[in-house]
Structure formats: C-alpha cells, structure tokens
Amino acid sequence: MDSVVLKQKDRYSLQIKARYVLGRKWKERRTNDFRLRVYLFFPRPFAINPDRFDPAAFHDQITQYLRFQTPRIGLRELLKRDSAVSPLARIERELEDCRRTGDPPDMHRLQYEGRLLGTVFRTTLRDTIFVTEESEDADDDFQASAVRVVDKERLELLLRVLRRFHDLIAELRLHHQESPALAELALVDEFLSLSVEQFFVLYLQDERGRPSESFTTRLGEIIRNEETYRRRAGYRTIHSDVSTPQQAEEYVYRKVMLKRYSSEALHFDIRRKNLRKQAEHILYAVAAGLAMAVATTIAFYGESRYGGATTSLFFLLVAGYMVKDRIKDTSRVWLYRRLGRFFPDRVLEARGQNRTMARVAVRTAFVPEPRLPQDIRTLRNRGYFERTVLGLETEHTLLYDKRIRLRSRVLRRMHNRIRGLADVNVIDFEPFLHSLTRQYDLVPAATK
C-alpha cells in the first residue's frame, strides 16, 4: 500500500483515501495483496455493540469509489511522437494510419486515449501548481497544502501539449468535419482548455502564492487566450459570458460532465457479491442437518424401543422435535460466531474484458481491547487514568477490514500503463449518533 489519507468530509462523514500501487517486481508476480484496517472506537453512550450492530446497514452507510490510479507520464514523454505510452502520440499515430490507409479509425481506442490524456494532463497541471496529498487526483475539491513555485520550463511543456492537441483538433475540423472522432476528441479538447483556465485562476487567487508581476501577466494572457480559443471553437464553457443563473447552471454542469467524461478512462465494471448471506445459509444448513440427525436418531431409538404407535413413542417424538428445534437455533449461532469470521461480508470484483483484475473482500468485526494490536492501543491513548476512571464505561471497537488482491499479470496485459488502484471510502456516521443527546464537535480521526 502506497499511502492512506483520512479527511473529514463534513460534520458526520469521514473519507478514507488509499492507493494500492504494484511493487517493483510486480511483473514477476501473479498477484499483489494489500490490506486496509480501520478501527472505530465507540464509547458506551453510542450504544454500538455486537448485539445491536447490523453489518448490512453499516455497509450501506459506506460510499465506495474504486478505480485505476492516474498514470504518471512525464511531459517530455507525452510530447515524444514515437512514445509507446503517450496517449497524445497514440492518437496522432491512429489518425495518421487512417489517413494513409483510408480505413475508419478505431473509435474505442481514440475514445480511451483521449480520455486518458485528459486525466493525465489535468493531474500533471495540478501537481505543477499545487502541493497536495499523494493519493489525491485532480478533483475539484482537492486540498492544496501549499503553492509551488511554478517551473517556467515545465509550464511551457504543458502549453506545448495543449497547443499540439489544439492543432490536431483544428486539422480534424478542416479535413474531417463529419468524422465521429472529432466529436469525441473535441470534448477532451474543451476539457484541457478549461482545466488550464481553472487551475491558473485558482493559483492567482491563492494568497499563499506570490508570483511576480510579469508571471501574473503571463498567466492572465494564457487564461484569456484559452477563453478566446473556446469561443472560436464553439465551446459553451465561456465564464465571461455567464450573466444569468441559468447560464451559470449550464456552465457548472458542462464543466462537471466534461471531467466525468474524461475520468471514465480510469473506471471499470464492478461486480458485487454479498457473501455474508451465503455464509449464513451454508452454516444454517449445517446446523439444520445436525439438529435433524439428532431428531432422526431419537425417532429410530423410540421405534426400536417402544415399537409401533404407542403413547411413549408419541411423547418421545414430540421431545425429539423440541430438542431438534433448540439444537438448530443454538448450533447456528455457535457456528456463525466460530466460523463466520472466515467469511467476508461483501466481495467486489473489478472486471474488464470479461476478466477479473482485482478482488476486494470486506468484513466487519468487534475486537476486544486486549486483542487490539499494540500500536493501535498506543494510538488510541486509553491509558491507566482512562481505564480506571471510566472502568464502568465499556468501549466497543469495530474493525473495518478490507483485503485487496490485484491480479498483476491480467492488469499488465489489459492496461500496461496502469500501476495501481485508487480506493475512496466515505463513511456516514450520522446513524451512529442517534443515541447521543448532543454532538459537540466533528468526528475525530487519527492515523499512524
């Protein structure tokens, strides 16, 4: 696991961002395994305990986003025309082959490479200007911890990538106005131009940055040029033309949808399985079988001892049924407590081209304080004073355990530029607060 970041989303929710990156020798391994464990401590006033806790309801309170990590491709690599990993170079070669052979372009490939170029360019642009958490991608609500001193050479490389894509779109408009490739790549073109404007405006508005007057003038010129370009191209994301609430709504909607369109390159199909229910049915079937075996044994014994339809046999069969019913209920609870921990609550499978690329198994369990790892107990800081003064205040610890297995070889064959997954979990704690009379502050969070 490369990094984990905890962030409070609002008064009631906590966001956990994790990044699972394949190791250096990932090409030599069939699978890569990762594990994420989150310990939630609930004092007695919360009334959260094993008797009242519903795992299915808890999983419903979690919003999970699982996708590929944005590839890290250097700007010079992006600009190489013979690069094997640059999406810009791949788009240019695909269109050049179509012009030479007269064949229609591979729309699926163009769509994927265009979207990938959008995500790579936006993330590189953000990292050129701002310092953010490593696991963050170029989201609109990213948290910048600092403003960088922008490298002018790096800035010029970014603008070269942007201008080259603008020129590619201009050539398509000139010679292939009716081409479906133009409609797909024009959305990426608008997204790149809008991203440059957005991040440069944020940089100029951030009080932590102190750019020189000449550099401020240069950024302002780039912003105006990009807005002029979008107006000439017929794009509708022109901020200076927004004068009514309806126009502002359309502008924001189009900006969000362009980002979503580009980020689709990092998404994949998710198949969910509720293994907890399957485990319950299996263990309950075993319990029912054990109870039936006892009842059948009693029936055979009664028939051999008392013969045919007698009063003694009747009472023995009734007693056998009562014993069977109690054995079934007791054994299924005992079996689930003993063996249930070996079954995950839910399983998610990331799939592409009808193949499983990753498997995520999630389970929850209450952990007694003596069985907590020492580093977790130290981080909790429940020392002698707390244990003595609050001796009667029982505290329950809920473990949210996630195991991730990446199938490295499958991932390499399908996406050779992808090196890991980004995992975002948002836990809603509001249902846990119903037993409290008042909440004074945000939900506290700690990490190692």
Side-chain angles (χ1 to χ4, degrees):
M1 187 178 301
D2 189 66
S3 61
V4 178
V5 177
L6 298 181
K7 184 170 65 175
Q8 291 168 334
K9 290 288 290 184
D10 53 38
R11 185 176 179 83
Y12 300 112
S13 61
L14 178 68
Q15 178 176 274
I16 306 170
K17 287 187 175 184
R19 185 168 65 175
Y20 315 115
V21 179
L22 301 175
R24 293 182 179 179
K25 298 183 178 180
W26 69 281
K27 293 184 179 181
E28 304 172 7
R29 304 178 61 180
R30 185 180 298 273
T31 61
N32 279 254
D33 296 317
F34 305 90
R35 190 175 186 183
L36 173 66
R37 286 178 291 184
V38 180
Y39 292 88
L40 305 174
F41 297 89
F42 294 101
R44 187 183 61 82
F46 284 86
I48 304 298
N49 53 61
D51 296 329
R52 299 186 57 181
F53 179 73
D54 182 5
F58 176 74
H59 288 294
D60 291 339
Q61 294 166 213
I62 300 178
T63 303
Q64 181 172 347
Y65 307 95
L66 190 66
R67 57 176 176 76
F68 291 126
Q69 185 71 24
T70 304
R72 299 291 179 172
I73 303 176
L75 288 172
R76 297 189 185 279
E77 186 68 28
L78 270 178
L79 289 166
K80 287 182 180 179
R81 296 188 181 275
D82 60 346
S83 172
V85 298
S86 169
L88 177 59
R90 289 189 174 195
I91 293 172
E92 291 173 336
R93 288 197 295 269
E94 176 69 19
L95 294 177
E96 180 63 31
D97 291 342
C98 293
R99 285 192 293 268
R100 187 177 63 254
T101 62
D103 296 331
D106 185 339
M107 291 305 302
H108 177 75
R109 179 180 299 178
L110 280 181
Q111 185 184 68
Y112 175 76
E113 296 296 340
R115 291 176 173 182
L116 188 63
L117 174 63
T119 59
V120 170
F121 181 85
R122 183 179 173 88
T123 301
T124 305
L125 175 63
R126 182 210 60 190
D127 293 342
T128 301
I129 299 175
F130 296 105
V131 179
T132 61
E133 297 289 352
E134 290 185 0
S135 67
E136 292 195 51
D137 288 309
D139 300 326
D140 291 333
D141 62 343
F142 71 95
Q143 299 293 323
S145 56
V147 177
R148 296 186 189 275
V149 177
V150 179
D151 185 350
K152 294 184 179 180
E153 180 182 1
R154 186 177 176 87
L155 176 62
E156 291 303 319
L157 290 175
L158 275 167
L159 295 178
R160 281 179 57 189
V161 174
L162 182 65
R163 286 193 294 266
R164 209 162 109 187
F165 197 76
H166 286 344
D167 294 341
L168 186 148
I169 295 297
E171 185 178 353
L172 279 176
R173 284 200 174 96
L174 184 62
H175 301 289
H176 306 279
Q177 262 192 341
E178 302 300 325
S179 171
L182 176 60
E184 294 284 349
L185 296 179
L187 295 175
V188 180
D189 185 49
E190 183 179 4
F191 176 69
L192 297 184
S193 177
L194 190 63
S195 297
V196 168
E197 176 186 291
Q198 178 186 356
F199 280 108
F200 285 174
V201 168
L202 288 175
Y203 178 76
L204 294 176
Q205 292 176 344
D206 199 310
E207 298 180 354
R208 295 171 295 183
R210 298 177 180 272
S212 63
E213 184 176 349
S214 60
F215 190 66
T216 301
T217 303
R218 170 66 173 146
L219 293 184
E221 180 184 353
I222 294 171
I223 293 171
R224 289 190 296 272
N225 290 341
E226 288 307 310
E227 186 175 273
T228 302
Y229 171 79
R230 293 198 302 279
R231 180 178 283 109
R232 290 176 178 173
Y235 302 145
R236 300 176 65 87
T237 48
I238 312 298
H239 190 270
S240 60
D241 292 346
V242 175
S243 57
T244 64
Q246 291 78 10
Q247 291 175 331
E249 182 179 354
E250 180 185 2
Y251 175 85
V252 173
Y253 172 77
R254 191 173 180 88
K255 183 179 70 171
V256 171
M257 293 307 295
L258 285 171
K259 180 180 181 299
R260 181 176 297 178
Y261 172 83
S262 182
S263 64
E264 283 293 323
L266 303 177
H267 294 176
F268 40 74
D269 295 332
I270 294 290
R271 178 181 296 177
R272 291 176 170 83
K273 298 179 181 179
N274 190 346
L275 291 191
R276 190 181 188 91
K277 287 294 182 183
Q278 296 181 18
E280 287 180 356
H281 289 312
I282 293 173
L283 295 178
Y284 290 176
V286 173
L290 292 174
M292 190 63 190
V294 173
T296 305
T297 302
I298 294 175
F300 286 165
Y301 171 78
E303 187 174 0
S304 63
R305 176 69 183 272
Y306 300 107
T310 63
T311 304
S312 299
L313 179 60
F314 171 77
F315 283 112
L316 186 62
L317 291 177
V318 171
Y321 179 82
M322 296 167 59
V323 171
K324 178 187 80 71
D325 193 55
R326 292 302 90 207
I327 289 178
K328 183 175 69 173
D329 289 343
T330 304
S331 59
R332 76 177 183 180
V333 173
W334 183 86
L335 283 173
Y336 194 79
R337 286 182 177 177
R338 292 289 183 178
L339 303 178
R341 64 179 183 272
F342 298 108
F343 296 90
D345 297 341
R346 294 188 179 182
V347 170
L348 287 77
E349 290 184 351
R351 298 181 61 83
Q353 301 178 12
N354 295 323
R355 303 190 67 180
T356 300
M357 298 176 292
R359 184 179 187 272
V360 181
V362 183
R363 64 179 293 268
T364 56
F366 282 89
V367 183
E369 184 174 354
R371 294 178 56 187
L372 288 173
Q374 184 58 45
D375 54 346
I376 299 299
R377 296 168 66 180
T378 302
L379 191 63
R380 175 68 180 97
N381 195 25
R382 185 174 165 88
Y384 171 79
F385 177 80
E386 288 79 9
R387 289 197 302 270
T388 303
V389 175
L390 305 177
L392 299 178
E393 299 282 342
T394 56
E395 181 178 69
H396 294 282
T397 304
L398 177 64
L399 170 62
Y400 177 68
D401 192 2
K402 178 181 288 189
R403 296 175 183 267
I404 301 93
R405 169 162 290 185
L406 301 183
R407 300 185 64 184
S408 310
R409 295 182 182 178
V410 174
L411 193 58
R412 183 178 73 249
R413 295 190 193 102
M414 297 175 57
H415 303 279
N416 58 1
R417 288 168 288 182
I418 300 296
R419 293 294 181 269
L421 298 183
D423 182 17
V424 182
N425 304 269
V426 180
I427 305 177
D428 180 17
F429 286 96
E430 186 174 7
F432 289 149
L433 308 178
H434 292 166
S435 297
L436 297 181
T437 56
R438 182 180 298 179
Q439 182 190 356
Y440 293 96
D441 206 346
L442 295 173
V443 177
T447 185
K448 297 181 185 179

